[in-house]
Amino acid sequence: MNKQLILVKRPEGLPDASTWTLKTNPIPTISDGEFLVQQYYVSLDPAMRGWMNDSKSYIEPIAIGDVMRAGSIGKIIKSNHADFNIGDTVTGWGGVQQYAIGTEKTWYKVDTKLAPMPMYLGTLGMPGMTAYFGILEVGKIKAGDVVLVSAAAGAVGSIVGQIAKLKGCYVVGIAGGKDKCNYLKNELGFDATIDYKSENIFDAVKETCPKGIDVYFDNVGGEILEAALSRLRMHARVVICGAISQYNNLEEVKGPKNYMSLLVNRATMQGMIVMDYAPNYGKAAKDMGQWLMEGKLKSKEDIYEGIENFHKTFIRLFSGDKKGKLVLKVIE
Amino acid sequence: MNKQLILVKRPEGLPDASTWTLKTNPIPTISDGEFLVQQYYVSLDPAMRGWMNDSKSYIEPIAIGDVMRAGSIGKIIKSNHADFNIGDTVTGWGGVQQYAIGTEKTWYKVDTKLAPMPMYLGTLGMPGMTAYFGILEVGKIKAGDVVLVSAAAGAVGSIVGQIAKLKGCYVVGIAGGKDKCNYLKNELGFDATIDYKSENIFDAVKETCPKGIDVYFDNVGGEILEAALSRLRMHARVVICGAISQYNNLEEVKGPKNYMSLLVNRATMQGMIVMDYAPNYGKAAKDMGQWLMEGKLKSKEDIYEGIENFHKTFIRLFSGDKKGKLVLKVIE
């Protein structure tokens, strides 16, 4: 049987457990060209919160009654596709369930000899690709740049900061709590950190970036975005990747009231969606794989177990009670 | 004698008449390399409001006790510079006064056979240069783009819209009142207009740009910026040139609460300051002059008289009670 997590209502604010229901259905049957994936891990990402809203965005909302959308990884256990064989490890959009039907359009094979499964949902998956293209293509970093990144201990932020270090930048990471800040400095090699839970963010940005910021990589929005805008250097680039501080807002989203800093500093604020870079994922994966093997890039996954624990794991994205890529093991 | 308008205090909100005082001082004497300009016209621009605040920006604040900073044009009546001769018409940063000392660093000669003096403060001056580089270099317009411009009947906006038309764009202008909207459509050839004083701006942007916006040129900020952000097309460009709706705010500036539209639409919001393009002013002036002579570009100046009328003329910038470039004649 196939345990599936079904979206049953649209949440207001932080989703509670009644947002989903767990159903047990027969394992689906596959048609020509399809294959059946036994899913091992599903990916938990802040963007999932946005997909639950009934509003136009870069992707269709998840319909009420549908399986909760999620990236996933697992092994093929049946196949009607010549190029996808039983035993292959594949990653794609399997959703929060134990068995998923795969097609060649939205799934691809990965090699678990090179990296463990969860890493393909993080550093070698969407978050890693987001970091790679966001900081290199949108942020256009060059050696010597001062790079500030928020949610710096997260799946995207931790890779952004490390890539910026690899490229010769001075990197400051913003994270919640001493532990995360120590991790960024001591394990990932960040130059400086800001603990937004205990420091005044405006003062701390000024102190850690006394000459200002060349690139700000924003995962959080809100006051931290304003603090970054207040310290831009000339021709700075602000990469808008997410706004997790605003995703569960019941009130209106807070727009950055000092956005005119873009004018004063001739700066650019640009939004990005990782899917746009799909044609170049191969190049990114090659670079990232190389850096991982050389020990220049560290990947951390925070793995929880049990599809029935989805809700309490999911809300760790917003409480910040996790380190690195949040992943849920759904195979029993 | 030289009548000079002196900044005597920093205004809060919309400046009242007591912000300045008119003083009469002797006409200054010139040193080596300098020349004396009898000023005919001074330029009144929204940016002047920002220069009066005591805060870090792209230019030093005007000091209390100094002559009010302004662009100006006039004729040389004395000269200690070999290349600047008595009778030459020159434009520069003369301030709100009747006589100014000029140097080759911040003044240049213009030809009044080609265009009347006030036009050199508008279409052939900073506002025109701002429009030219803003829409072409920052907005990166191409034929077929849908271009929305705010303060469209103003010195910058009217040129932005006309250049966009020249380049084959579909151009929608936002202005206050039927008269201005008629002027944009009937005299300047805009494709559609929005009267923000009588229409719901969100509905009107949707109606006039049913397929969305490729380039939004923002002179105003506030709700109109949000309305534009709500209708961006993929890879849209938002040019941040000004935020006149916010310059006299006593409360906090309103940031655009839907800035995440930049992410959804992979769009870019970029600030600009015209001075950065100074090395290319010559090329722009050549193009603009050509278009003016061919009748492809229309320039409108709204001229008031008397340095003692500075305050009541200046506030027309913010009430919108003017059409085209606002200029004050200061010669008596």
Side-chain angles (χ1 to χ4, degrees):
Chain A
M1 297 296 278
N2 182 21
K3 288 187 191 168
Q4 301 180 300
L5 195 80
I6 307 295
L7 183 68
V8 293
K9 65 180 187 190
R10 305 222 172 270
E12 289 178 26
L14 186 66
D16 64 23
S18 73
T19 305
W20 301 272
T21 189
L22 196 61
K23 288 204 176 166
T24 304
N25 284 312
I27 294 170
T29 51
I30 51 173
S31 306
D32 272 5
E34 295 180 343
F35 46 87
L36 182 67
V37 182
Q38 179 169 32
Q39 302 211 115
Y40 283 58
Y41 299 94
V42 299
S43 179
L44 275 63
D45 300 280
M48 294 162 85
R49 179 63 188 85
W51 307 338
M52 300 165 76
N53 293 333
D54 190 20
S55 53
K56 179 183 174 269
S57 185
Y58 61 93
I59 195 170
E60 284 295 300
I62 305 169
I64 299 293
D66 272 9
V67 173
M68 180 68 191
R69 184 186 297 148
S72 59
I73 190 165
K75 282 182 190 252
I76 294 176
I77 55 170
K78 278 186 194 172
S79 180
N80 286 334
H81 191 300
D83 299 333
F84 288 82
N85 300 311
I86 291 174
D88 285 349
T89 302
V90 285
T91 179
W93 290 100
V96 185
Q97 58 183 341
Q98 293 179 308
Y99 295 89
I101 292 175
T103 68
E104 65 176 8
K105 269 191 191 168
T106 53
W107 291 74
Y108 58 92
K109 284 187 267 191
V110 298
D111 186 349
T112 51
K113 284 192 210 96
L114 298 176
M117 277 196 197
M119 203 183 285
Y120 284 106
L121 298 181
T123 304
L124 293 172
M126 291 302 110
M129 297 294 124
T130 302
Y132 182 94
F133 294 104
I135 196 64
L136 295 175
E137 304 266 319
V138 187
K140 298 181 183 70
I141 47 170
K142 52 189 188 308
D145 277 352
V146 175
V147 174
L148 179 70
V149 54
S150 56
V156 175
S158 61
I159 304 300
V160 166
Q162 290 182 84
I163 294 176
K165 279 304 299 174
L166 275 167
K167 298 291 182 185
C169 301
Y170 183 87
V171 179
V172 179
I174 305 172
K178 275 223 168 82
D179 265 10
K180 288 185 184 175
C181 287
N182 287 337
Y183 163 69
L184 294 177
K185 273 193 92 155
N186 302 334
E187 295 188 47
L188 302 190
F190 280 50
D191 295 290
T193 59
I194 296 170
D195 174 7
Y196 74 87
K197 289 189 177 171
S198 72
E199 298 182 62
N200 174 296
I201 186 71
F202 289 87
D203 294 345
V205 170
K206 193 170 177 177
E207 276 161 34
T208 54
C209 309
K211 292 179 191 161
I213 300 158
D214 294 295
V215 176
Y216 172 55
F217 193 104
D218 191 29
N219 291 305
V220 302
E223 198 178 42
I224 294 177
L225 172 56
E226 288 183 359
L229 287 173
S230 76
R231 301 291 301 167
L232 296 184
R233 284 171 102 163
M234 289 283 282
H235 308 296
R237 287 84 69 200
V238 177
V239 184
I240 300 292
C241 175
I244 199 169
S245 74
Q246 307 294 310
Y247 288 174
N248 293 307
N249 267 11
L250 291 176
E251 307 98 60
E252 284 192 326
V253 168
K254 266 183 69 173
K257 59 176 179 287
N258 57 348
Y259 77 98
M260 285 294 281
S261 171
L262 297 175
L263 181 138
V264 173
N265 300 297
R266 294 78 151 160
T268 302
M269 187 152 101
Q270 187 172 351
M272 70 160 299
I273 300 280
V274 67
M275 285 86 157
D276 296 346
Y277 301 91
N280 300 317
Y281 283 173
K283 156 93 170 83
K286 191 164 163 280
D287 283 351
M288 307 270 276
Q290 178 84 18
W291 293 332
L292 282 165
M293 283 197 290
E294 292 172 2
K296 291 179 180 169
L297 189 65
K298 289 180 185 169
S299 179
K300 190 162 201 139
E301 295 80 35
D302 203 357
I303 302 171
Y304 295 84
E305 292 200 19
I307 191 169
E308 66 282 1
N309 294 320
F310 175 82
H311 171 253
K312 63 184 183 193
T313 310
F314 181 70
I315 59 176
R316 289 177 188 272
L317 290 168
F318 303 99
S319 66
D321 185 19
K322 59 157 200 87
K323 217 186 279 175
K325 177 68 189 101
L326 191 64
V327 169
L328 187 66
K329 189 174 181 182
V330 295
I331 192 170
E332 285 173 357
Chain B
M1 298 297 278
N2 182 22
K3 288 186 190 166
Q4 301 181 301
L5 194 81
I6 307 295
L7 184 69
V8 293
K9 65 178 188 192
R10 304 222 173 270
E12 289 178 24
L14 186 66
D16 63 24
S18 72
T19 305
W20 302 273
T21 190
L22 196 62
K23 289 204 176 166
T24 304
N25 284 312
I27 294 170
T29 52
I30 51 174
S31 308
D32 274 4
E34 295 180 343
F35 45 87
L36 182 66
V37 182
Q38 179 170 31
Q39 303 211 115
Y40 284 56
Y41 298 94
V42 300
S43 179
L44 274 64
D45 301 280
M48 295 162 83
R49 179 63 189 84
W51 306 339
M52 300 166 73
N53 293 332
D54 191 20
S55 53
K56 176 184 175 272
S57 185
Y58 61 94
I59 195 169
E60 284 295 299
I62 305 168
I64 299 294
D66 270 8
V67 172
M68 180 68 192
R69 184 186 296 147
S72 59
I73 190 164
K75 283 181 189 255
I76 294 177
I77 55 170
K78 279 185 192 170
S79 180
N80 287 334
H81 191 298
D83 300 333
F84 287 82
N85 301 311
I86 292 173
D88 285 349
T89 302
V90 285
T91 179
W93 291 100
V96 185
Q97 58 183 341
Q98 294 179 306
Y99 296 89
I101 292 175
T103 68
E104 65 175 8
K105 269 193 192 168
T106 53
W107 291 74
Y108 59 93
K109 284 187 268 191
V110 298
D111 186 348
T112 51
K113 284 193 212 95
L114 298 177
M117 278 195 195
M119 206 183 283
Y120 284 106
L121 298 180
T123 303
L124 294 172
M126 291 303 110
M129 297 294 125
T130 302
Y132 183 94
F133 294 104
I135 196 65
L136 296 175
E137 304 267 317
V138 187
K140 298 181 184 71
I141 45 170
K142 51 189 189 311
D145 277 353
V146 174
V147 174
L148 179 71
V149 54
S150 56
V156 175
S158 61
I159 305 300
V160 165
Q162 290 181 84
I163 293 175
K165 280 303 300 175
L166 275 166
K167 298 292 182 183
C169 300
Y170 183 88
V171 178
V172 179
I174 305 171
K178 273 223 168 81
D179 265 9
K180 288 185 183 173
C181 288
N182 287 337
Y183 164 69
L184 295 177
K185 274 194 90 156
N186 302 334
E187 294 188 45
L188 302 189
F190 281 50
D191 295 291
T193 59
I194 296 170
D195 173 6
Y196 74 87
K197 289 189 177 172
S198 73
E199 298 181 62
N200 174 296
I201 186 70
F202 287 88
D203 294 344
V205 169
K206 192 170 177 180
E207 276 160 35
T208 53
C209 310
K211 292 178 190 161
I213 300 159
D214 295 295
V215 176
Y216 172 55
F217 193 102
D218 192 30
N219 291 304
V220 302
E223 197 179 42
I224 294 178
L225 173 56
E226 288 183 359
L229 287 172
S230 76
R231 301 290 302 167
L232 296 184
R233 285 170 102 163
M234 289 283 282
H235 309 296
R237 288 82 71 200
V238 177
V239 184
I240 300 292
C241 175
I244 199 169
S245 75
Q246 308 295 308
Y247 289 173
N248 293 306
N249 267 11
L250 292 174
E251 307 98 60
E252 284 192 325
V253 168
K254 266 183 70 174
K257 58 176 182 287
N258 57 348
Y259 77 99
M260 285 294 281
S261 170
L262 296 175
L263 180 138
V264 172
N265 299 296
R266 295 76 152 160
T268 302
M269 188 152 100
Q270 187 172 352
M272 69 158 302
I273 300 280
V274 67
M275 285 86 156
D276 296 347
Y277 301 90
N280 300 317
Y281 283 173
K283 156 92 169 85
K286 191 163 161 280
D287 283 351
M288 308 270 275
Q290 178 84 19
W291 294 331
L292 282 165
M293 283 197 288
E294 293 172 358
K296 290 179 179 167
L297 190 65
K298 289 179 186 170
S299 179
K300 191 164 202 137
E301 294 80 36
D302 203 356
I303 303 170
Y304 295 84
E305 292 200 20
I307 192 170
E308 66 282 2
N309 294 320
F310 175 82
H311 171 252
K312 62 183 183 194
T313 310
F314 181 70
I315 59 176
R316 288 177 188 272
L317 290 168
F318 304 99
S319 66
D321 185 18
K322 60 156 201 88
K323 217 186 278 175
K325 176 68 189 102
L326 192 63
V327 169
L328 187 65
K329 190 174 179 183
V330 296
I331 192 171
E332 284 173 359

